[in-house]
Amino acid sequence: MMSQENTEHELLESIHNDGEGICIALDFTPLLPPKKSGETRRKNAKAKSSTYTFYINENLDLCDLLEAVMFAIRALKPAGLPYKVVGSNLRTNTFEIAYTIRGTQFKNISIVAVKDWETLVKHVAVKGNAMLHLREMKVS
């Protein structure tokens, strides 16, 4: 018989993608690098976005999703972006995160609380994949 501690920490196997989890395509748009002395830019200049793909178990929580996102962007942001999950709410002023599920009405839905992650998981179960949009914001 397993102890209660072991059963609480065991993670149920994912039912998606042969046990790998939900397929997440992450579109990350960082801030533009600071201008060099004497450099000019167009007014509408935008940073080049990068796309990363990873799998995450649907039984994990919002904190685990954010850890996976920060791990995915480590090439551009080695330290990640600061955030806190307090209670069931995401608190950050350094980035915005939203999701889109193709083939549904869920387009650019902000993830600001645990319930948003749970909604994403529930609807991805039907459609299969999700696109996360992570946009770094300038902190003043």
Side-chain angles (χ1 to χ4, degrees):
M1 185 172 171
M2 297 177 83
S3 72
Q4 187 176 4
E5 280 184 34
N6 289 341
T7 57
E8 287 177 357
H9 296 296
E10 269 187 33
L11 189 61
L12 297 173
E13 185 175 342
S14 176
I15 60 170
H16 299 283
N17 300 308
D18 297 325
E20 290 189 67
I22 298 170
C23 181
I24 301 284
L26 173 66
D27 179 45
F28 174 56
T29 306
L31 290 173
L32 284 169
K35 288 193 287 188
K36 296 177 183 165
S37 173
E39 180 184 16
T40 59
R41 284 192 188 140
R42 294 181 297 171
K43 285 185 180 181
N44 62 347
K46 294 182 181 176
K48 183 180 175 184
S49 67
S50 301
T51 303
Y52 306 93
T53 303
F54 60 93
Y55 293 88
I56 187 162
N57 189 309
E58 68 273 11
N59 300 307
L60 294 173
D61 62 14
L62 178 61
C63 292
D64 297 313
L65 170 69
L66 293 170
E67 284 180 32
V69 165
M70 296 309 150
F71 185 76
I73 66 169
R74 72 191 177 286
L76 294 173
K77 295 286 178 185
L81 298 168
Y83 66 90
K84 286 183 183 178
V85 177
V86 178
S88 63
N89 296 316
L90 172 63
R91 294 190 182 172
T92 182
N93 63 353
T94 58
F95 65 89
E96 292 176 340
I97 188 166
Y99 68 90
T100 297
I101 303 172
R102 292 184 202 120
T104 68
Q105 74 273 18
F106 297 98
K107 299 193 183 341
N108 294 321
I109 307 294
S110 294
I111 298 176
V112 295
V114 171
K115 67 178 177 56
D116 300 322
W117 165 244
E118 292 167 352
T119 301
L120 180 142
V121 168
K122 183 171 89 175
H123 292 285
V124 164
V126 176
K127 290 295 180 177
N129 297 338
M131 179 78 163
L132 281 182
H133 310 281
L134 179 68
R135 187 174 67 86
E136 186 177 12
M137 298 186 319
K138 188 173 184 174
V139 180
S140 38

